Amino acid sequence: MIPPRTPPGILELLPAEQATFRRMLDTVRTTYERFGFVEIETPVFERTEVLLTKTGGETERQIYFVQSTGSMDSDAAPDLALRFDLTVPLARYVAEHQNDLAFPFKRYQIQRVYRGERPQRGRFREFYQCDIDVIGRESLNLRHDAEVPAVIEDVFSRLEVGSFTIRINNRLLMAGLLGQLGIEGDLQAAVLREVDKLDKRDPDEVEAALVGLGLSQGDVVALLGLVGTRVRGADDAIASLGSLEAKDDRARRGVADLRVVFETLAELGVPDHAYALDLGIARGLEYYTGTVYETTLDAHPEIGSVCSGGRYDDLASLYTNTRLPGVGISIGLTRLYWQLREAGLVGAGSTSVAAYVTVMDDESLNSALRLATSLRAAGINTDVASEAGRLGKQLKYADRIGARYAIIAGEDERSRGAVTVKDLLVGDQFESAADELADSLNRRIQSGAS
């Protein structure tokens, strides 16, 4: 007999956990739509020539290839592979459909992606990514760089995971400031990799590593002082930017761009406590070309970044001659859910079953079926027992499937045209006329009665 086991690297949830995860997905989706983003979906697999546009990267070594049995029999090389993120498929999609899209193109995409990760806690081979991107044609207004963190703030406020900080930096600013210290090219990339470790390693170890890269002690002190800048709110961030000695053209451009971003965030009404200028953000600076973002939970820094992204100059240069600059972010929702569950910040939720109609005896089965049908017609998700049984056993079943209300109609209730409604969450109960039950339940559901 084959043992039933979930493949490694897969997060498979029980119904009550799935209900919580689904509500998180719905929260992200509705918030994206509230800001005017439109949904697209791309195939779970792409042509390998699209996905393998560069070689040698860690992600490219984790691709799952797709091959039919016919191709295997003919020893043909796989020409399809599962997507490992949503950015490469987006680039192909925009390049292919650019003549049919309205620019700036504001898209959101919530789908599973696949990576051949080495199985370990919190790392998954199949997981949901929730992405937004704004793509321009030839140019893209900088104010979209402020719209993105405004969306992040709304999403995480609605997810109710506690206080958080959207940390904002700029690739040009950092390149220019490091250039002023004589740190350029490959050395700059190596320095940024070490700076990125400041949240995970002892500062003395990072300092020693920077000295080992050839930086003078004076430059190390200046660099660590610089990347230690973290200022909350628009006014203080703008003031801090004004105090920087931006002598390099790149640094001056970065300061000017960030000023626009923070001014626009204030106009959008994003609260000051939700975001900060943070010159310590280094991750992704080699990929992004302008504004960059990382979001962390204030009370749980050990979780790391829960949302990241930034601006890039050209999304689809490998697929079209049209310049397509963009800005966006990604939330790895599967990993985020797992981290929040491990930290005790989310638990199992209620399933979509609102009511469970019990059957007390064979004579009441037909009336129970009719009652369930009337509740469904009123928009109430309802299950119903298929046969009569002990009430205690039926209530236990209703509780296990996550139903909020158990509907009980014994001989006495039926003689009076009434039903008893037991609230399985709080343990109380009330009586309702059978023909008014749908209205009574809908009022309680809509009021969030507890």
Side-chain angles (χ1 to χ4, degrees):
M1 183 175 292
I2 300 173
R5 293 184 298 179
T6 305
I10 304 297
L11 184 64
E12 195 169 67
L13 304 175
L14 293 174
E17 297 172 319
Q18 186 68 42
T20 297
F21 184 73
R22 172 56 58 183
R23 274 188 279 276
M24 292 177 67
L25 277 175
D26 291 343
T27 296
V28 174
R29 183 186 307 277
T30 56
T31 305
Y32 285 173
E33 291 178 350
R34 190 174 294 111
F35 279 80
F37 288 81
V38 296
E39 183 179 22
I40 69 167
E41 286 195 356
T42 57
V44 68
F45 48 76
E46 294 276 352
R47 291 157 56 199
T48 54
E49 65 182 9
V50 170
L51 291 180
L52 296 174
T53 52
K54 53 184 178 177
T55 59
E58 181 62 28
T59 300
E60 287 73 19
R61 289 195 291 268
Q62 297 172 347
I63 283 181
Y64 285 106
F65 290 98
V66 178
Q67 196 168 23
S68 69
T69 53
S71 296
M72 293 172 66
D73 291 342
S74 62
D75 293 325
D79 60 353
L80 299 172
L82 299 180
R83 59 181 176 230
F84 57 80
D85 69 5
L86 299 178
T87 302
V88 173
L90 172 65
R92 189 270 308 158
Y93 181 96
V94 176
E96 183 175 352
H97 301 292
Q98 58 182 298
N99 293 330
D100 300 310
L101 298 174
F103 291 91
F105 177 49
K106 296 175 63 175
R107 94 56 166 110
Y108 79 86
Q109 195 169 350
I110 300 177
Q111 290 186 274
R112 290 183 174 98
V113 299
Y114 300 86
R115 294 183 189 174
E117 295 270 13
R118 183 166 54 87
Q120 54 186 303
R121 283 176 58 81
R123 306 294 294 182
F124 299 101
R125 292 174 167 177
E126 175 192 66
F127 56 95
Y128 272 95
Q129 278 192 192
C130 306
D131 288 14
I132 55 170
D133 286 88
V134 187
I135 309 300
R137 198 170 192 173
E138 302 301 341
S139 65
L140 181 66
N141 193 296
L142 193 61
R143 287 178 174 81
H144 289 295
D145 290 43
E147 182 180 26
V148 167
V151 177
I152 299 173
E153 190 277 330
D154 205 348
V155 166
F156 282 90
S157 293
R158 294 176 187 277
L159 287 175
E160 299 180 338
V161 294
S163 62
F164 55 88
T165 301
I166 306 165
R167 301 158 65 185
I168 304 173
N169 197 0
N170 185 282
R171 172 70 176 94
L172 287 172
L173 174 61
M174 294 308 297
L177 292 177
L178 291 177
Q180 290 173 193
L181 295 174
I183 303 170
E184 296 279 11
D186 292 342
L187 177 59
Q188 187 173 111
V191 166
L192 289 173
R193 282 193 292 271
E194 293 302 325
V195 168
D196 186 46
K197 299 173 184 176
L198 278 169
D199 288 340
K200 312 172 192 69
R201 296 175 58 186
D202 186 285
D204 290 339
E205 294 181 13
V206 175
E207 182 176 342
L210 292 171
V211 171
L213 290 173
L215 273 64
S216 70
Q217 192 65 45
D219 283 348
V220 169
V221 171
L223 174 61
L224 293 180
L226 179 68
V227 300
T229 301
R230 183 183 293 186
V231 183
R232 287 187 186 270
D235 291 342
D236 289 343
I238 292 170
S240 182
L241 288 169
S243 68
L244 292 175
E245 294 186 16
K247 303 172 184 176
D248 183 283
D249 287 343
R250 293 167 296 179
R252 285 194 289 268
R253 169 72 183 281
V255 166
D257 286 358
L258 281 177
R259 185 185 297 274
V260 172
V261 170
F262 286 114
E263 288 173 347
T264 308
L265 280 170
E267 292 300 322
L268 288 170
V270 181
D272 281 353
H273 63 78
Y275 62 92
L277 169 67
D278 190 336
L279 301 187
I281 295 179
R283 193 186 324 176
L285 285 182
E286 295 178 37
Y287 170 75
Y288 296 111
T289 58
T291 317
V292 290
Y293 322 97
E294 280 197 6
T295 304
T296 52
L297 304 183
D298 295 344
H300 295 274
E302 74 282 358
I303 287 178
S305 177
V306 295
C307 174
S308 61
R311 174 177 276 253
Y312 37 86
D313 275 340
D314 195 350
L315 173 72
S317 60
L318 290 164
Y319 314 116
T320 176
N321 290 325
T322 305
R323 184 170 177 269
L324 298 168
V327 61
I329 55 96
S330 179
I331 303 173
L333 201 69
T334 301
R335 185 167 182 265
L336 175 60
Y337 168 82
W338 182 87
Q339 291 169 317
L340 295 176
R341 190 183 67 178
E342 292 295 295
L345 298 179
V346 299
S350 300
T351 66
S352 58
V353 182
Y356 183 80
V357 181
T358 63
V359 176
M360 305 301 293
D361 48 54
D362 291 339
E363 290 73 22
S364 64
L365 176 58
N366 289 339
S367 63
L369 295 175
R370 290 193 296 271
L371 182 59
T373 298
S374 69
L375 293 179
R376 291 168 185 151
I380 300 170
N381 297 341
T382 305
D383 193 6
V384 59
S386 58
E387 58 185 359
R390 290 187 293 108
L391 179 59
K393 184 176 181 180
Q394 292 186 68
L395 293 179
K396 184 177 180 180
Y397 177 79
D399 185 58
R400 293 201 66 173
I401 65 171
R404 174 70 186 267
Y405 301 103
I407 314 302
I408 305 166
E411 185 176 350
D412 176 60
E413 285 98 347
R414 293 200 304 275
S415 68
R416 295 184 285 106
V419 295
T420 296
V421 181
K422 186 174 181 62
D423 189 326
L424 299 176
L425 181 63
V426 300
D428 68 352
Q429 63 184 45
F430 65 94
E431 190 172 280
S432 169
D435 58 1
E436 297 175 0
L437 176 61
D439 290 338
S440 298
L441 283 183
N442 267 326
R443 282 196 296 272
R444 290 177 69 91
I445 293 169
Q446 291 167 10
S447 68
S450 59

